Amino acid sequence: MARPARPVRLSPPTWLTAGLRPAPTPIPWAAVVRASVALSAPLAVGLAAGQPAYGALVSMGALSGVIGDTADAYRMRIYNIAVPQLFGALGVTLGTLVFGHGWLAVAVLTLVALVSGMISSIGAVASVSGLLLLLNCVVGAGLPMPDPWWKAPLLLGLGGLFVLLLTLLGWPLRRAAPERAAVAATYRAVAELYEATGTTTAYDEQRQAVTASLNQSYDLLLARRARQHGRAPHQVRLLSQLNVLVPLLEAAPAAHLRARLVGPLPAAIPAAVRELADAVEEGRTGTPVLDLPTPERPAEKAVDHALRHAAAVVHKADPDPYNVDDRLGRPAALRVRVRRVSRDVMLSEASWRYGLRLALCIGLAQALVSLIAVPRSYWVALTVTFVMKPDFGSVFSRAVLRAFGTVAGLVLAALVLAEVPRGWWDVPVMMVLAALIPAFSAKGYAFQTAAITPVILLLSDTLNQQGFDLVLPRLYDSLIGCAIALVAGYLLWPESWHTRIGDRLADAVADTAAYVESAFAPTRPRNHATERHRARRKLYRDLSTVRSEFQRALTEPPPTGTRAAAWWPLVVAVERIIDATTAARIRVDHGAPAPDASEVAAVERELRGLSEGLRSSETLVEVRAELPGDESGVLAPLRQEVRAARAIAGPDLR
C-alpha cells in the first residue's frame, strides 16, 4: 500500500524568517524623543542659516551618536558616544581626502576596513568605533563634502556632541539611577528564580535570565573600576549589594533540588528577595525585618543564611569600600589592559580572519563604484559595512534581513521624496523618521534597517539634490552590497561550525570538570569560597557567550543551523551540571556528608572525556556513562546530570 504523500510546505524555513518577527521589547520613549530632537534640530538650524548641507552633516553625526547610544549607565554612555565619534571623524577625513581618486580610494577603504574589522573584536565600544570609522570613510569617499577638508569631520562631531549633551541632561537628577535599577532588577530576577524552583523548564529559563541580568549589572557598575574601584560611595554600596546575591545564587540549585524532592519553597523566601529589591531601588537603610520559616534541611539552611546576610548588607548604610570585589577579580591598570588587548588583536586568528573578510568585501564594493564605468554609489559599500558585522549577528541572516529592511525603508523614502517638498518640510518629516530609529531598533535588525534607510536617503538628498531619482538606484546598490557580503564574506569563507561553537563548548565543559575537582578538593585554601564564586561566574559568562554563538548559528542555513539545533540541549546539560555541583557543595557546607574522592574523580573523568569528544567530532555520539556511587549521597544528582549529558546523541545530519 502506497504511503500518503506528505503535504508540501509552502512557508519559508524558520532560520530564514526568524529575524522578521519583532522582538517583544518595550519602546524606549526617552531615546525616541532624544533621536527626534537630535536629528531634526540641526536641519532646522542649517535651513535658518542658509546652509542646509551643513545641517545635514550635523544630523549625520547625530545619527551615529543615536546608533551608538546603547548603554544604560551614564559613564558608559559617554564612552559609547564620544569615543566612536573620534574614529568617525578620522574616517570621514580619510574618505574626503580620497574622494574621486579611483584606485587610491579603493586601497584606502580596503585598509580602513581591515583595521575596522580587527578592532571590532575588542569590545562593544571598539565595535561601534570600528563601524563608524569605516562607515564615515565610505560616506566621505562617496559624497562631495564641503571645503576645506576639516569642515566635514567638525560638523559630524558636532552632531555626536549634540546627542551626548541631550543624553547628559538627566545626569544631575539620575546619576546612579540606571545602576540602582539594574541591581534591583537582578534581585527581582533572583526572586523569580526561587519561585521557579522545582519546575525544570521554568527554572532553566529563569537561571539564564538571572545570568544575563547579573552580567549586565556588573558591567554597568564596573565600567570605571580600574582607577576608581571602591572610592565612589554609591557605587561601593551597589556593588556590595550585588555581591551578596552570589550566595543566594549558589543556594538556588540546592533549593531547586529540595523543591523537586519535597515540594515548593515557602512563598516568604521570594517575597523577602523582592522586598530587598525594593530597598535597593529606593535606597532604604536601617534594620531589616525578615519573617522566614525555620530551616531544617541543608538546602533550607543555605538559603536562610544567604538571605539574612543579603538583608544585612542591603540595609547597611556604609559598606566597607575596601572589601568590594566583582567576583571575577580586580582588573589590571588601563595601560596593561591596552597592551594586552593590542597584543591579542594582532595575534588573534579570528581578528585577522574577520578583518580580511571585511577588507575583501569593501575592496570589491569600492572597486565597483570607483573603477567600473557603471553608475553605482557609495551605498554598495555602505550596505557591506552594515551587513558584515559578526558581533551583530549572522552575516547570512543580516544580508537577507537588510534586503527586506531596505525595501521597506525605500518605500517609505519614496513616498516622502515624491510627496513632500524639500526645505522646511524636511524638519517635521525628520522628527518623525528619526523617532522610528530607536523604536524600531529594539524590534530587530530588519526593522532598524527599515528605519535608518529613509533617514540616510533624506540626508544624502540634501547633499547631492537628486530627489526621487535616487530611490531605485539605492535599491539596486543595496542588493548588490548584500550579494557581495553573501558571496565574498560568507560563501568564500566556510568557517567550520565546529571551530566556532564546538571548541568553545568544549572549553566550558573542561572548565566545568575543573570546577567539580576544586569544589570537592580534600585540601581547601583559605579563600576557597571566593575562588569558587569566581569560577562559577566565569563558567556562566562563558556559557552565555556560547549561547550567543548558538543563537547566531540557528539563523544560518543548513547544515550549520541544523547542527546548532542538535547541539543546543548539551549547552543546557552543562549548565545543569554546574548547578548540581554547586548544590552538592552547598549541602556539604551545611551538614551533608562529603562525597568520596573516587566519586568526584569519576565525574571529573567523564566530563573531560566529553570535552575531548566535542573537540574531535562535529557529530554528537551517544556515550553510556556508568558512574557508580552512593545513590543517596550528595553527588547522586550530579551523576544523573552527567549521564544525561553523555547520553545526548546527534541526529542523522546527512
Side-chain angles (χ1 to χ4, degrees), residues 423-465:
W424 281 100
W425 278 104
D426 288 343
V427 177
V429 168
M430 184 58 66
M431 290 182 67
V432 175
L433 294 179
L436 297 178
I437 295 176
F440 280 24
S441 295
K443 300 302 179 182
Y445 178 68
F447 301 93
Q448 182 191 51
T449 300
I452 291 178
T453 297
V455 171
I456 296 181
L457 278 176
L458 290 181
L459 294 176
S460 301
D461 183 55
T462 305
L463 295 173
N464 57 23
Q465 300 294 323

mmCIF file of all heavy atoms in Angstrom, residues 423-465:
data_model
loop_
_atom_site.group_PDB
_atom_site.id
_atom_site.type_symbol
_atom_site.label_atom_id
_atom_site.label_comp_id
_atom_site.label_asym_id
_atom_site.label_seq_id
_atom_site.Cartn_x
_atom_site.Cartn_y
_atom_site.Cartn_z
ATOM 1 N N GLY A 423 12.948 71.438 1.798
ATOM 2 C CA GLY A 423 13.023 72.710 2.504
ATOM 3 C C GLY A 423 12.591 72.529 3.939
ATOM 4 O O GLY A 423 12.966 71.550 4.603
ATOM 5 N N TRP A 424 11.771 73.453 4.444
ATOM 6 C CA TRP A 424 11.379 73.401 5.846
ATOM 7 C C TRP A 424 10.512 72.191 6.180
ATOM 8 O O TRP A 424 10.424 71.793 7.347
ATOM 9 C CB TRP A 424 10.645 74.689 6.223
ATOM 10 C CG TRP A 424 11.597 75.823 6.462
ATOM 11 C CD1 TRP A 424 11.912 76.832 5.608
ATOM 12 C CD2 TRP A 424 12.387 76.029 7.636
ATOM 13 N NE1 TRP A 424 12.854 77.672 6.168
ATOM 14 C CE2 TRP A 424 13.157 77.204 7.424
ATOM 15 C CE3 TRP A 424 12.522 75.355 8.844
ATOM 16 C CZ2 TRP A 424 14.048 77.692 8.372
ATOM 17 C CZ3 TRP A 424 13.399 75.840 9.800
ATOM 18 C CH2 TRP A 424 14.145 76.999 9.563
ATOM 19 N N TRP A 425 9.868 71.606 5.175
ATOM 20 C CA TRP A 425 9.111 70.379 5.443
ATOM 21 C C TRP A 425 10.018 69.230 5.873
ATOM 22 O O TRP A 425 9.545 68.258 6.481
ATOM 23 C CB TRP A 425 8.306 69.979 4.209
ATOM 24 C CG TRP A 425 7.015 70.721 4.079
ATOM 25 C CD1 TRP A 425 6.733 71.747 3.225
ATOM 26 C CD2 TRP A 425 5.829 70.507 4.844
ATOM 27 N NE1 TRP A 425 5.451 72.198 3.402
ATOM 28 C CE2 TRP A 425 4.857 71.446 4.406
ATOM 29 C CE3 TRP A 425 5.481 69.629 5.871
ATOM 30 C CZ2 TRP A 425 3.589 71.515 4.938
ATOM 31 C CZ3 TRP A 425 4.201 69.702 6.406
ATOM 32 C CH2 TRP A 425 3.273 70.630 5.946
ATOM 33 N N ASP A 426 11.303 69.321 5.564
ATOM 34 C CA ASP A 426 12.234 68.262 5.974
ATOM 35 C C ASP A 426 12.316 68.137 7.495
ATOM 36 O O ASP A 426 12.579 67.053 8.026
ATOM 37 C CB ASP A 426 13.633 68.544 5.427
ATOM 38 C CG ASP A 426 13.729 68.328 3.933
ATOM 39 O OD1 ASP A 426 12.829 67.657 3.388
ATOM 40 O OD2 ASP A 426 14.692 68.816 3.313
ATOM 41 N N VAL A 427 12.113 69.238 8.200
ATOM 42 C CA VAL A 427 12.274 69.216 9.662
ATOM 43 C C VAL A 427 11.205 68.356 10.341
ATOM 44 O O VAL A 427 11.542 67.429 11.093
ATOM 45 C CB VAL A 427 12.285 70.652 10.226
ATOM 46 C CG1 VAL A 427 12.386 70.621 11.751
ATOM 47 C CG2 VAL A 427 13.438 71.443 9.638
ATOM 48 N N PRO A 428 9.900 68.598 10.130
ATOM 49 C CA PRO A 428 8.916 67.708 10.774
ATOM 50 C C PRO A 428 8.993 66.269 10.274
ATOM 51 O O PRO A 428 8.757 65.334 11.040
ATOM 52 C CB PRO A 428 7.563 68.357 10.421
ATOM 53 C CG PRO A 428 7.829 69.214 9.236
ATOM 54 C CD PRO A 428 9.235 69.699 9.390
ATOM 55 N N VAL A 429 9.325 66.100 8.978
ATOM 56 C CA VAL A 429 9.476 64.733 8.467
ATOM 57 C C VAL A 429 10.616 64.019 9.182
ATOM 58 O O VAL A 429 10.495 62.859 9.588
ATOM 59 C CB VAL A 429 9.712 64.755 6.942
ATOM 60 C CG1 VAL A 429 10.151 63.374 6.452
ATOM 61 C CG2 VAL A 429 8.446 65.184 6.217
ATOM 62 N N MET A 430 11.738 64.734 9.375
ATOM 63 C CA MET A 430 12.875 64.125 10.066
ATOM 64 C C MET A 430 12.547 63.837 11.529
ATOM 65 O O MET A 430 13.020 62.842 12.093
ATOM 66 C CB MET A 430 14.095 65.043 9.962
ATOM 67 C CG MET A 430 15.366 64.458 10.565
ATOM 68 S SD MET A 430 15.847 62.876 9.805
ATOM 69 C CE MET A 430 16.260 63.425 8.138
ATOM 70 N N MET A 431 11.739 64.678 12.146
ATOM 71 C CA MET A 431 11.341 64.419 13.532
ATOM 72 C C MET A 431 10.632 63.071 13.648
ATOM 73 O O MET A 431 10.894 62.294 14.572
ATOM 74 C CB MET A 431 10.424 65.540 14.038
ATOM 75 C CG MET A 431 11.112 66.864 14.255
ATOM 76 S SD MET A 431 9.982 68.130 14.903
ATOM 77 C CE MET A 431 9.645 67.459 16.534
ATOM 78 N N VAL A 432 9.764 62.798 12.693
ATOM 79 C CA VAL A 432 9.013 61.533 12.724
ATOM 80 C C VAL A 432 9.917 60.354 12.375
ATOM 81 O O VAL A 432 9.926 59.328 13.069
ATOM 82 C CB VAL A 432 7.816 61.604 11.756
ATOM 83 C CG1 VAL A 432 7.101 60.253 11.690
ATOM 84 C CG2 VAL A 432 6.852 62.702 12.190
ATOM 85 N N LEU A 433 10.691 60.478 11.291
ATOM 86 C CA LEU A 433 11.532 59.362 10.849
ATOM 87 C C LEU A 433 12.619 59.044 11.869
ATOM 88 O O LEU A 433 12.941 57.870 12.114
ATOM 89 C CB LEU A 433 12.155 59.682 9.492
ATOM 90 C CG LEU A 433 11.180 59.812 8.314
ATOM 91 C CD1 LEU A 433 11.940 60.150 7.039
ATOM 92 C CD2 LEU A 433 10.383 58.529 8.134
ATOM 93 N N ALA A 434 13.219 60.080 12.472
ATOM 94 C CA ALA A 434 14.275 59.843 13.466
ATOM 95 C C ALA A 434 13.723 59.147 14.698
ATOM 96 O O ALA A 434 14.403 58.303 15.303
ATOM 97 C CB ALA A 434 14.928 61.165 13.857
ATOM 98 N N ALA A 435 12.489 59.476 15.068
ATOM 99 C CA ALA A 435 11.884 58.822 16.238
ATOM 100 C C ALA A 435 11.694 57.328 16.017
ATOM 101 O O ALA A 435 11.679 56.543 16.976
ATOM 102 C CB ALA A 435 10.538 59.478 16.551
ATOM 103 N N LEU A 436 11.571 56.918 14.753
ATOM 104 C CA LEU A 436 11.375 55.491 14.464
ATOM 105 C C LEU A 436 12.649 54.673 14.682
ATOM 106 O O LEU A 436 12.562 53.456 14.876
ATOM 107 C CB LEU A 436 10.906 55.317 13.020
ATOM 108 C CG LEU A 436 9.550 55.933 12.652
ATOM 109 C CD1 LEU A 436 9.259 55.706 11.180
ATOM 110 C CD2 LEU A 436 8.439 55.353 13.515
ATOM 111 N N ILE A 437 13.817 55.317 14.654
ATOM 112 C CA ILE A 437 15.069 54.550 14.724
ATOM 113 C C ILE A 437 15.202 53.800 16.042
ATOM 114 O O ILE A 437 15.345 52.567 16.047
ATOM 115 C CB ILE A 437 16.276 55.469 14.456
ATOM 116 C CG1 ILE A 437 16.229 55.994 13.027
ATOM 117 C CG2 ILE A 437 17.583 54.716 14.707
ATOM 118 C CD1 ILE A 437 17.326 56.981 12.704
ATOM 119 N N PRO A 438 15.173 54.461 17.217
ATOM 120 C CA PRO A 438 15.272 53.678 18.456
ATOM 121 C C PRO A 438 14.058 52.789 18.689
ATOM 122 O O PRO A 438 14.191 51.698 19.266
ATOM 123 C CB PRO A 438 15.409 54.745 19.548
ATOM 124 C CG PRO A 438 14.883 55.994 18.952
ATOM 125 C CD PRO A 438 15.147 55.915 17.491
ATOM 126 N N ALA A 439 12.884 53.232 18.240
ATOM 127 C CA ALA A 439 11.685 52.412 18.431
ATOM 128 C C ALA A 439 11.778 51.112 17.637
ATOM 129 O O ALA A 439 11.461 50.029 18.146
ATOM 130 C CB ALA A 439 10.442 53.193 18.024
ATOM 131 N N PHE A 440 12.235 51.198 16.382
ATOM 132 C CA PHE A 440 12.343 50.013 15.537
ATOM 133 C C PHE A 440 13.598 49.200 15.838
ATOM 134 O O PHE A 440 13.603 47.980 15.657
ATOM 135 C CB PHE A 440 12.317 50.409 14.061
ATOM 136 C CG PHE A 440 10.942 50.678 13.519
ATOM 137 C CD1 PHE A 440 9.914 51.055 14.361
ATOM 138 C CD2 PHE A 440 10.659 50.549 12.172
ATOM 139 C CE1 PHE A 440 8.639 51.305 13.881
ATOM 140 C CE2 PHE A 440 9.394 50.788 11.668
ATOM 141 C CZ PHE A 440 8.376 51.172 12.535
ATOM 142 N N SER A 441 14.669 49.851 16.270
ATOM 143 C CA SER A 441 15.910 49.126 16.555
ATOM 144 C C SER A 441 15.707 48.096 17.651
ATOM 145 O O SER A 441 16.346 47.040 17.659
ATOM 146 C CB SER A 441 17.015 50.104 16.962
ATOM 147 O OG SER A 441 17.344 50.967 15.896
ATOM 148 N N ALA A 442 14.821 48.398 18.594
ATOM 149 C CA ALA A 442 14.556 47.451 19.674
ATOM 150 C C ALA A 442 13.818 46.211 19.190
ATOM 151 O O ALA A 442 13.797 45.188 19.891
ATOM 152 C CB ALA A 442 13.736 48.136 20.770
ATOM 153 N N LYS A 443 13.232 46.275 17.995
ATOM 154 C CA LYS A 443 12.436 45.158 17.490
ATOM 155 C C LYS A 443 13.240 44.181 16.637
ATOM 156 O O LYS A 443 12.783 43.061 16.401
ATOM 157 C CB LYS A 443 11.260 45.694 16.663
ATOM 158 C CG LYS A 443 10.324 46.607 17.446
ATOM 159 C CD LYS A 443 9.742 45.896 18.662
ATOM 160 C CE LYS A 443 8.822 46.795 19.460
ATOM 161 N NZ LYS A 443 8.296 46.116 20.664
ATOM 162 N N GLY A 444 14.412 44.585 16.145
ATOM 163 C CA GLY A 444 15.206 43.675 15.337
ATOM 164 C C GLY A 444 15.964 44.399 14.240
ATOM 165 O O GLY A 444 15.703 45.585 13.951
ATOM 166 N N TYR A 445 16.907 43.678 13.605
ATOM 167 C CA TYR A 445 17.785 44.306 12.628
ATOM 168 C C TYR A 445 17.036 44.752 11.376
ATOM 169 O O TYR A 445 17.285 45.845 10.850
ATOM 170 C CB TYR A 445 18.907 43.331 12.248
ATOM 171 C CG TYR A 445 19.840 43.885 11.201
ATOM 172 C CD1 TYR A 445 20.676 44.951 11.495
ATOM 173 C CD2 TYR A 445 19.883 43.354 9.918
ATOM 174 C CE1 TYR A 445 21.529 45.475 10.543
ATOM 175 C CE2 TYR A 445 20.731 43.864 8.961
ATOM 176 C CZ TYR A 445 21.555 44.921 9.282
ATOM 177 O OH TYR A 445 22.390 45.441 8.335
ATOM 178 N N ALA A 446 16.114 43.935 10.889
ATOM 179 C CA ALA A 446 15.363 44.319 9.692
ATOM 180 C C ALA A 446 14.554 45.587 9.944
ATOM 181 O O ALA A 446 14.462 46.472 9.082
ATOM 182 C CB ALA A 446 14.441 43.183 9.259
ATOM 183 N N PHE A 447 13.986 45.697 11.128
ATOM 184 C CA PHE A 447 13.196 46.880 11.467
ATOM 185 C C PHE A 447 14.103 48.108 11.621
ATOM 186 O O PHE A 447 13.733 49.217 11.222
ATOM 187 C CB PHE A 447 12.412 46.621 12.746
ATOM 188 C CG PHE A 447 11.472 45.456 12.645
ATOM 189 C CD1 PHE A 447 11.861 44.186 13.031
ATOM 190 C CD2 PHE A 447 10.196 45.622 12.134
ATOM 191 C CE1 PHE A 447 11.008 43.104 12.927
ATOM 192 C CE2 PHE A 447 9.320 44.558 12.023
ATOM 193 C CZ PHE A 447 9.736 43.291 12.411
ATOM 194 N N GLN A 448 15.279 47.908 12.212
ATOM 195 C CA GLN A 448 16.230 49.016 12.325
ATOM 196 C C GLN A 448 16.649 49.513 10.942
ATOM 197 O O GLN A 448 16.731 50.722 10.697
ATOM 198 C CB GLN A 448 17.457 48.576 13.113
ATOM 199 C CG GLN A 448 18.486 49.684 13.315
ATOM 200 C CD GLN A 448 19.799 49.164 13.857
ATOM 201 O OE1 GLN A 448 20.381 48.213 13.323
ATOM 202 N NE2 GLN A 448 20.278 49.771 14.932
ATOM 203 N N THR A 449 16.925 48.582 10.028
ATOM 204 C CA THR A 449 17.304 48.958 8.668
ATOM 205 C C THR A 449 16.192 49.748 7.987
ATOM 206 O O THR A 449 16.439 50.752 7.310
ATOM 207 C CB THR A 449 17.628 47.702 7.844
ATOM 208 O OG1 THR A 449 18.704 47.005 8.467
ATOM 209 C CG2 THR A 449 18.028 48.064 6.431
ATOM 210 N N ALA A 450 14.958 49.296 8.176
ATOM 211 C CA ALA A 450 13.828 49.997 7.567
ATOM 212 C C ALA A 450 13.696 51.415 8.102
ATOM 213 O O ALA A 450 13.247 52.322 7.383
ATOM 214 C CB ALA A 450 12.537 49.221 7.826
ATOM 215 N N ALA A 451 14.100 51.648 9.357
ATOM 216 C CA ALA A 451 14.001 52.984 9.943
ATOM 217 C C ALA A 451 15.168 53.871 9.533
ATOM 218 O O ALA A 451 14.986 55.071 9.291
ATOM 219 C CB ALA A 451 13.931 52.881 11.468
ATOM 220 N N ILE A 452 16.382 53.306 9.457
ATOM 221 C CA ILE A 452 17.566 54.110 9.151
ATOM 222 C C ILE A 452 17.628 54.481 7.672
ATOM 223 O O ILE A 452 18.090 55.568 7.308
ATOM 224 C CB ILE A 452 18.842 53.352 9.574
ATOM 225 C CG1 ILE A 452 18.911 53.258 11.107
ATOM 226 C CG2 ILE A 452 20.099 54.025 9.048
ATOM 227 C CD1 ILE A 452 20.109 52.479 11.603
ATOM 228 N N THR A 453 17.167 53.593 6.790
ATOM 229 C CA THR A 453 17.287 53.818 5.341
ATOM 230 C C THR A 453 16.683 55.144 4.885
ATOM 231 O O THR A 453 17.361 55.926 4.203
ATOM 232 C CB THR A 453 16.653 52.641 4.575
ATOM 233 O OG1 THR A 453 17.383 51.450 4.867
ATOM 234 C CG2 THR A 453 16.694 52.890 3.075
ATOM 235 N N PRO A 454 15.439 55.464 5.202
ATOM 236 C CA PRO A 454 14.907 56.749 4.717
ATOM 237 C C PRO A 454 15.613 57.955 5.326
ATOM 238 O O PRO A 454 15.724 58.999 4.667
ATOM 239 C CB PRO A 454 13.431 56.707 5.136
ATOM 240 C CG PRO A 454 13.364 55.705 6.228
ATOM 241 C CD PRO A 454 14.411 54.692 5.924
ATOM 242 N N VAL A 455 16.113 57.830 6.556
ATOM 243 C CA VAL A 455 16.834 58.950 7.173
ATOM 244 C C VAL A 455 18.113 59.251 6.397
ATOM 245 O O VAL A 455 18.411 60.410 6.060
ATOM 246 C CB VAL A 455 17.149 58.641 8.653
ATOM 247 C CG1 VAL A 455 18.091 59.690 9.238
ATOM 248 C CG2 VAL A 455 15.861 58.577 9.458
ATOM 249 N N ILE A 456 18.883 58.205 6.098
ATOM 250 C CA ILE A 456 20.130 58.421 5.358
ATOM 251 C C ILE A 456 19.842 58.941 3.957
ATOM 252 O O ILE A 456 20.555 59.815 3.434
ATOM 253 C CB ILE A 456 20.951 57.107 5.297
ATOM 254 C CG1 ILE A 456 21.372 56.685 6.709
ATOM 255 C CG2 ILE A 456 22.185 57.283 4.429
ATOM 256 C CD1 ILE A 456 22.194 55.419 6.746
ATOM 257 N N LEU A 457 18.792 58.434 3.328
ATOM 258 C CA LEU A 457 18.458 58.900 1.981
ATOM 259 C C LEU A 457 18.078 60.384 1.977
ATOM 260 O O LEU A 457 18.497 61.138 1.094
ATOM 261 C CB LEU A 457 17.315 58.068 1.411
ATOM 262 C CG LEU A 457 17.695 56.718 0.800
ATOM 263 C CD1 LEU A 457 16.457 55.970 0.364
ATOM 264 C CD2 LEU A 457 18.633 56.912 -0.373
ATOM 265 N N LEU A 458 17.295 60.809 2.954
ATOM 266 C CA LEU A 458 16.900 62.217 3.001
ATOM 267 C C LEU A 458 18.101 63.113 3.275
ATOM 268 O O LEU A 458 18.231 64.194 2.685
ATOM 269 C CB LEU A 458 15.837 62.416 4.068
ATOM 270 C CG LEU A 458 14.455 61.814 3.773
ATOM 271 C CD1 LEU A 458 13.488 62.111 4.903
ATOM 272 C CD2 LEU A 458 13.909 62.334 2.460
ATOM 273 N N LEU A 459 18.991 62.675 4.161
ATOM 274 C CA LEU A 459 20.192 63.473 4.435
ATOM 275 C C LEU A 459 21.106 63.495 3.214
ATOM 276 O O LEU A 459 21.711 64.532 2.891
ATOM 277 C CB LEU A 459 20.926 62.908 5.649
ATOM 278 C CG LEU A 459 20.178 63.005 6.987
ATOM 279 C CD1 LEU A 459 20.974 62.330 8.099
ATOM 280 C CD2 LEU A 459 19.891 64.461 7.340
ATOM 281 N N SER A 460 21.212 62.364 2.519
ATOM 282 C CA SER A 460 22.022 62.321 1.298
ATOM 283 C C SER A 460 21.440 63.228 0.228
ATOM 284 O O SER A 460 22.181 63.904 -0.510
ATOM 285 C CB SER A 460 22.115 60.882 0.774
ATOM 286 O OG SER A 460 22.693 60.023 1.737
ATOM 287 N N ASP A 461 20.117 63.259 0.123
ATOM 288 C CA ASP A 461 19.485 64.106 -0.884
ATOM 289 C C ASP A 461 19.743 65.581 -0.608
ATOM 290 O O ASP A 461 19.844 66.389 -1.539
ATOM 291 C CB ASP A 461 17.984 63.829 -0.910
ATOM 292 C CG ASP A 461 17.274 64.623 -1.988
ATOM 293 O OD1 ASP A 461 17.679 64.509 -3.164
ATOM 294 O OD2 ASP A 461 16.343 65.368 -1.649
ATOM 295 N N THR A 462 19.872 65.942 0.660
ATOM 296 C CA THR A 462 20.201 67.327 0.993
ATOM 297 C C THR A 462 21.594 67.693 0.495
ATOM 298 O O THR A 462 21.866 68.847 0.152
ATOM 299 C CB THR A 462 20.119 67.532 2.514
ATOM 300 O OG1 THR A 462 18.817 67.134 2.971
ATOM 301 C CG2 THR A 462 20.341 68.984 2.896
ATOM 302 N N LEU A 463 22.483 66.693 0.432
ATOM 303 C CA LEU A 463 23.854 66.949 -0.017
ATOM 304 C C LEU A 463 23.991 66.910 -1.540
ATOM 305 O O LEU A 463 24.751 67.694 -2.115
ATOM 306 C CB LEU A 463 24.807 65.929 0.618
ATOM 307 C CG LEU A 463 24.961 66.006 2.149
ATOM 308 C CD1 LEU A 463 25.802 64.842 2.657
ATOM 309 C CD2 LEU A 463 25.602 67.317 2.556
ATOM 310 N N ASN A 464 23.291 65.986 -2.209
ATOM 311 C CA ASN A 464 23.512 65.857 -3.663
ATOM 312 C C ASN A 464 22.303 66.247 -4.520
ATOM 313 O O ASN A 464 22.394 66.245 -5.752
ATOM 314 C CB ASN A 464 23.956 64.423 -4.009
ATOM 315 C CG ASN A 464 22.947 63.384 -3.542
ATOM 316 O OD1 ASN A 464 21.766 63.664 -3.343
ATOM 317 N ND2 ASN A 464 23.425 62.164 -3.346
ATOM 318 N N GLN A 465 21.148 66.546 -3.891
ATOM 319 C CA GLN A 465 19.983 67.100 -4.596
ATOM 320 C C GLN A 465 19.534 66.236 -5.775
ATOM 321 O O GLN A 465 19.295 66.728 -6.871
ATOM 322 C CB GLN A 465 20.299 68.524 -5.087
ATOM 323 C CG GLN A 465 20.657 69.506 -3.991
ATOM 324 C CD GLN A 465 19.487 69.779 -3.052
ATOM 325 O OE1 GLN A 465 18.339 69.844 -3.491
ATOM 326 N NE2 GLN A 465 19.782 69.941 -1.774
#
